[in-house]
């Protein structure tokens, strides 16, 4: 949903994050369109001049466009920013240990209209910049398989193993909300 916090701790090129952003942005656009049409019907039921109706519709249209603008940040009228801005800047997080993949993910998100501020080049098994224990509603990920982690990474987890995918599973479990957290994870 629009209010879900989502993370991909092995974001790669950002595919899961981009798809989430696109689905929710489409839903917001449909709701904004429905709100505009309902307002238009309400005005049509009133005795208004064509000029007055057109002026009111234009005002409503401009007001609603802020909700769809990924750059529609906080203003005096809307201190939290528009809905798509909130989605792009406060709801989507990802990391990738590979610098090139993290940059690719950010660029792909920019090209799809997302703010990309929640994507970091960082070890996906560790907390960083907003990626913390127990805060995510949804985690979608395809972690690396067959890798081996050193003793430093293992100290963070209850089940001691060097298998990267098992450590990722433990990380996903601890970063999901305790009640209602959902995960879609590719596993071997």
């Amino acid at each position: 949903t629009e209010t879900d916090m989502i993370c991909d701790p092995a974001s790669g090129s950002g595919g899961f994050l981009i798809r989430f952003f696109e689905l929710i942005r489409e839903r917001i656009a449909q709701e904004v369109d429905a709100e505009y049409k309902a307002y238009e019907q309400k005005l049509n039921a009133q005795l208004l001049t064509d000029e007055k109706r057109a002026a009111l519709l234009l005002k409503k249209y401009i007001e609603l466009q802020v909700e769809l603008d990924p750059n529609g940040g906080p203003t005096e009228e809307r201190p939290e920013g528009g809905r798509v801005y909130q989605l792009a800047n406060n709801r989507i997080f990802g990391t990738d240990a590979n610098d090139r993949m993290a940059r690719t993910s950010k660029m792909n998100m920019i090209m799809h209209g997302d703010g990309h501020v929640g994507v970091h080049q960082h070890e996906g098994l560790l907390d960083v910049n907003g990626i913390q224990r127990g805060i995510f509603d949804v985690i979608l990920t395809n972690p690396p398989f067959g890798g081996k982690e050193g003793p430093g990474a293992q100290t963070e987890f209850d089940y001691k193993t060097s298998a990267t995918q098992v450590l990722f599973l433990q990380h996903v479990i601890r970063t999901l909300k305790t009640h209602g957290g959902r995960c879609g994870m590719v596993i071997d």
Side-chain angles (χ1 to χ4, degrees), residues 42-60:
K42 178 182 160 189
L43 291 182
N44 288 339
Q46 298 175 11
L47 294 174
L48 299 170
T49 65
D50 289 342
E51 293 81 20
K52 180 68 172 174
R53 182 177 290 112
L56 289 171
L57 285 174
L58 179 60
K59 182 180 176 189
K60 185 67 167 180

Side-chain angles (χ1 to χ4, degrees), residues 129-144:
N129 295 344
I131 300 173
Q132 304 163 16
R133 294 178 188 212
I135 67 166
F136 291 103
D137 300 288
V138 178
I139 293 183
L140 300 173
T141 192
N142 181 6

Side-chain angles (χ1 to χ4, degrees), residues 32-48:
V32 166
D33 189 48
E35 184 177 342
Y36 179 82
K37 287 178 181 176
Y39 183 74
E40 184 177 32
Q41 288 179 345
K42 178 182 160 189
L43 291 182
N44 288 339
Q46 298 175 11
L47 294 174
L48 299 170

Side-chain angles (χ1 to χ4, degrees), residues 162-177:
S162 62
T164 302
Q165 64 270 30
V166 176
L167 295 174
F168 262 95
L169 182 58
Q170 291 183 83
H171 178 66
V172 164
I173 290 168
R174 76 179 185 185
T175 53
L176 280 171
K177 285 185 176 175

Side-chain angles (χ1 to χ4, degrees), residues 72-164:
T75 63
E76 191 172 303
E77 301 83 36
R78 232 162 120 102
E80 69 279 356
R83 291 170 68 183
V84 172
Y85 174 85
Q86 282 290 317
L87 175 67
N89 291 282
N90 300 322
R91 301 276 178 215
I92 301 173
F93 294 85
T95 62
D96 202 283
N98 182 298
D99 181 53
R100 176 174 276 178
M101 292 312 295
R103 284 183 290 158
T104 300
S105 181
K106 286 182 180 190
M107 183 54 67
N108 280 339
M109 293 180 80
I110 289 169
M111 292 174 61
H112 286 86
D114 176 79
H116 75 280
V117 296
V119 177
H120 307 282
Q121 188 274 317
H122 195 269
E123 172 59 55
L125 294 170
L126 304 173
D127 298 344
V128 63
N129 295 344
I131 300 173
Q132 304 163 16
R133 294 178 188 212
I135 67 166
F136 291 103
D137 300 288
V138 178
I139 293 183
L140 300 173
T141 192
N142 181 6
F145 299 118
K148 299 289 183 199
E149 301 296 322
Q154 296 174 42
T155 62
E156 295 285 320
F157 301 99
D158 296 330
Y159 180 75
K160 306 300 182 210
T161 179
S162 62
T164 302

